Amino acid sequence: MPCPSSPILFLALCSTRQEARKEERMPGYRVPSDYSQEPPRHPSLRINAKEPFNAEPLRCNLLESYITTVDMFYKRNHGPIPLVDNIDRYRVVINGLIENSREFSMAEIRSLPKYNVTATLQCAGNRRTAMSKVKTVKGVGWDVCALGNAVWGGAKLSDVLEWIGIPKLTAVTSLGGKHVEFVSVDQCKEEKGGPYKASIPLSQATNPLADVLLAYEMNGEVLNRDHGYPLRVIVPGVIGARSVKWLDCINIIEEESQGFFMQKDYKMFPPSVNWDNIVWSSRRPQMDFPVQSAICSLEDVDVVKQGKVDVAANVQPESVEEIWNLRGVLNTSWHRVRVRNASLPIASSNL
């Protein structure tokens, strides 16, 4: 059906559609009300939170392979892991500021050309524990391994959007859509029980060279539940929070997603900002991830010394103090370990 021209009417209809899909338990999907049906996980993972489950591999495990195995890939969740009751009934809906909305089955997604993209995902809060040693920050206490490198297989989002009438390299639709919002089926307390959502610019989504995928495979195997089965988004080069799992619908919208994790989280602030003076609207949502480095062949003994860095987090400072921020994100500071030898003085190794 044609999309209404009024943004307010569109939002109302979109909300109605999503509520209708919830009434039928989201075709093919079921979201557990508790954590009694969680999938099995590797026993060596370092668990940072049990409910919802958030865990990372040990440093030595991350070094074992250039391609991170599925078991050793970090797990980042905001609620119980969804279940698929009937994959044949599963549909992903594309609607919003486009001429016609459309539902796609997994069979239709798989009928499009398949691409394999090797891409690293990393939680924006990776190395948050180092910031907490300076001053406590809020968030899951990640060490240095909330990242993984995998080969993702699926259809390019640019092909899917072209299928519904949005040409490649489009920045604005004829009805004024400028952003692509991905909505999950999981239920987040931050969204007051609603679904996780995030967005990227339409110009990025329609650019085939950006390699944005609707992925259904990971390392040559069907996605498992922890990593978004049956369908997820992969946005290479962008913080992991934008690669939405358990995809329910895609909305073409005029402004950035107004979801919690776009507007009230994952933004970069200078050390002078705290929870008493923070103004979320003063910063744009974090997208591209600056370069990080950490030593994974050894464990931490001490923290780094004082240094300087720009507040945009584009360089790697010697000290974490200069880039400390209240959410503990984008820790690009040096990672330092101490190596002890019984017959030699303590030596420091830096990256």
Side-chain angles (χ1 to χ4, degrees):
M1 63 175 289
C3 178
S5 58
S6 167
I8 296 177
L9 179 57
F10 159 64
L11 290 173
L13 287 177
C14 185
S15 176
T16 300
R17 290 171 186 157
Q18 290 178 4
E19 288 302 318
R21 285 168 66 79
K22 288 180 182 178
E23 286 297 320
E24 57 182 21
R25 292 168 63 185
M26 301 196 184
Y29 259 132
R30 176 163 54 89
V31 182
S33 59
D34 57 33
Y35 295 91
S36 63
Q37 301 179 71
E38 294 290 279
R41 282 101 176 197
H42 199 283
S44 71
L45 290 174
R46 177 180 182 265
I47 299 175
N48 298 319
K50 290 185 177 180
E51 295 180 355
F53 189 82
N54 289 278
E56 63 188 299
L58 302 178
R59 299 179 190 183
C60 59
N61 295 139
L62 196 61
L63 289 176
E64 290 175 349
S65 174
Y66 172 72
I67 299 299
T68 311
T69 63
V70 175
D71 284 345
M72 290 295 109
F73 209 96
Y74 76 101
K75 321 296 183 193
R76 178 68 174 109
N77 299 303
H78 295 89
I81 306 301
L83 289 158
V84 175
D85 290 324
N86 186 342
I87 190 62
D88 292 331
R89 294 186 63 234
Y90 169 77
R91 299 290 186 274
V92 60
V93 181
I94 304 180
N95 53 30
L97 297 176
I98 53 178
E99 295 295 335
N100 295 286
S101 62
R102 172 77 187 271
E103 287 190 355
F104 289 93
S105 66
M106 279 303 302
E108 289 174 307
I109 295 292
R110 286 178 173 273
S111 73
L112 289 167
K114 178 188 173 186
Y115 293 86
N116 289 315
V117 175
T118 301
T120 299
L121 295 187
Q122 180 173 211
C123 180
N126 194 32
R127 302 179 62 199
R128 182 175 281 132
T129 53
M131 286 198 181
S132 287
K133 291 178 182 178
V134 175
K135 186 178 178 181
T136 302
V137 298
K138 290 185 179 181
V140 177
W142 298 109
D143 185 45
V144 303
C145 296
L147 79 164
N149 189 43
V151 179
W152 308 95
K156 284 195 177 184
L157 180 57
S158 58
D159 287 345
V160 177
L161 295 177
E162 187 174 51
W163 201 357
I164 65 168
I166 303 178
K168 288 183 171 64
L169 303 179
T170 296
V172 185
T173 67
S174 60
L175 296 176
K178 299 177 182 178
H179 297 266
V180 180
E181 180 184 57
F182 309 112
V183 182
S184 178
V185 302
D186 64 341
Q187 299 170 350
C188 310
K189 65 178 182 179
E190 295 88 351
E191 294 283 4
K192 299 180 180 179
Y196 187 99
K197 60 186 73 171
S199 67
I200 62 173
L202 180 64
S203 58
Q204 183 177 13
T206 59
N207 183 353
L209 297 181
D211 285 336
V212 180
L213 291 183
L214 297 188
Y216 45 79
E217 289 183 0
M218 180 180 182
N219 294 347
E221 300 177 355
V222 174
L223 286 172
N224 70 13
R225 287 177 60 203
D226 260 327
H227 296 294
Y229 176 78
L231 194 66
R232 70 169 299 167
V233 182
I234 294 295
V235 188
V238 171
I239 64 172
R242 313 308 177 211
S243 290
V244 175
K245 299 187 286 187
W246 312 297
L247 191 60
D248 176 42
C249 64
I250 298 173
N251 299 322
I252 310 302
I253 55 180
E254 183 177 2
E255 303 292 340
E256 292 168 338
S257 171
Q258 295 304 299
F260 179 90
F261 296 97
M262 288 287 291
Q263 302 302 326
K264 296 293 182 70
D265 205 347
Y266 299 125
K267 295 184 177 184
M268 183 64 180
F269 291 92
S272 58
V273 174
N274 57 48
W275 292 106
D276 294 324
N277 62 16
I278 188 170
V279 180
W280 287 104
S281 60
S282 66
R283 292 293 190 276
R284 299 293 300 274
Q286 182 64 35
M287 299 300 284
D288 295 347
F289 212 122
V291 174
Q292 285 195 3
S293 61
I295 298 170
C296 288
S297 57
L298 298 168
E299 297 297 323
D300 286 343
V301 175
D302 207 345
V303 296
V304 297
K305 297 179 180 179
Q306 185 176 359
K308 295 183 178 180
V309 66
D310 68 329
V311 295
N314 287 321
V315 298
Q316 294 181 294
E318 181 180 357
S319 169
V320 72
E321 285 90 340
E322 293 294 330
I323 57 167
W324 181 94
N325 60 85
L326 73 171
R327 279 294 282 118
V329 299
L330 307 185
N331 186 352
T332 57
S333 64
W334 289 5
H335 182 219
R336 174 176 295 177
V337 298
R338 288 187 176 182
V339 180
R340 288 183 176 274
N341 187 302
S343 60
L344 295 175
I346 296 176
S348 295
S349 176
N350 299 309
L351 282 179

